[in-house]
Amino acid sequence: MQRDKTYVINHYKKSMDWISDLRSLSEEQWRMPIEPGKWSVAEVIGHLQPWDDFVLNHRIPFFFVDERLPKGPDVEKLNASAAKKSREQHMNQTITDFITSRSQLLQVLQQFTDEQWQQTFTIGQSEIIIVDYFIGLINHDLHHFSQIQNVIHV
């Protein structure tokens, strides 16, 4: 149990450092697609922040109360909006926005008790343990971090 909680918290801490280090990229690298016809590094990073905000504001508040989770956003619309925003703003702003949201999320997660990490909640028809939910989100991060590493070679 503790290992999973520690894994989640450590990932969120390290992710902020890793993303912050992307400030050293050139503008060309920052705007480079991860694959032909795919998002740029900027767009990949830019889409993570609104999802952290969603988890913080529309998932976590419902974990420990007897209420249904609110319906999730339209994934395509949220991602498209985030990608557009990151195309239009400076790299430092996209990175700062990510770090601000991720830091807020981390602060809340660090307050969870060991018992809370092991509680279940229901999404749709599926019941999931809270720590497993966050491990799934981490896997999403790691997938994108790997894509970025492959294109910028860091």
Side-chain angles (χ1 to χ4, degrees):
M1 168 173 42
Q2 183 64 27
R3 190 196 71 176
D4 291 334
K5 171 186 172 180
T6 302
Y7 173 74
V8 171
I9 289 171
N10 285 340
H11 168 80
Y12 281 120
K13 288 177 181 176
K14 290 177 186 176
S15 69
M16 290 185 290
D17 292 337
W18 192 83
I19 299 292
S20 184
D21 288 346
L22 295 179
R23 293 181 203 274
S24 66
L25 295 180
S26 68
E27 186 68 16
E28 182 181 349
Q29 289 173 306
W30 180 248
R31 305 290 174 190
M32 184 180 301
I34 57 170
E35 290 180 27
K38 298 284 187 181
W39 277 350
S40 67
V41 172
E43 292 165 308
V44 170
I45 299 305
H47 99 285
L48 297 173
Q49 177 264 323
W51 286 107
D52 281 358
D53 286 347
F54 172 75
V55 170
L56 190 60
N57 297 308
H58 301 284
R59 288 295 177 249
I60 291 174
F62 297 89
F63 283 168
F64 309 118
V65 296
D66 193 22
E67 291 183 44
R68 290 185 66 83
L69 292 175
K71 187 176 183 335
D74 180 305
V75 173
E76 296 301 320
K77 282 184 182 177
L78 182 68
N79 286 345
S81 173
K84 180 180 186 298
K85 179 180 176 185
S86 61
R87 283 192 301 273
E88 295 171 351
Q89 69 185 10
H90 190 275
M91 171 185 12
N92 281 329
Q93 188 61 56
T94 301
I95 291 172
T96 297
D97 290 349
F98 170 84
I99 291 171
T100 299
S101 290
R102 185 59 57 102
S103 178
Q104 291 170 347
L105 182 56
L106 177 61
Q107 288 174 17
V108 171
L109 295 179
Q110 288 174 316
Q111 295 174 20
F112 285 10
T113 66
D114 289 345
E115 293 76 26
Q116 287 174 318
W117 281 100
Q118 295 304 313
Q119 281 187 231
T120 60
F121 70 100
T122 303
I123 292 184
Q125 304 301 316
S126 301
E127 201 168 86
I128 186 168
I129 298 171
I130 289 172
V131 71
D132 291 339
Y133 175 76
F134 285 99
I135 289 172
L137 296 176
I138 288 171
N139 290 337
H140 176 254
D141 278 359
L142 295 175
H143 166 73
H144 286 307
F145 295 175
S146 175
Q147 290 175 314
I148 292 167
Q149 285 174 316
N150 287 338
V151 74
I152 64 172
H153 309 294
V154 290

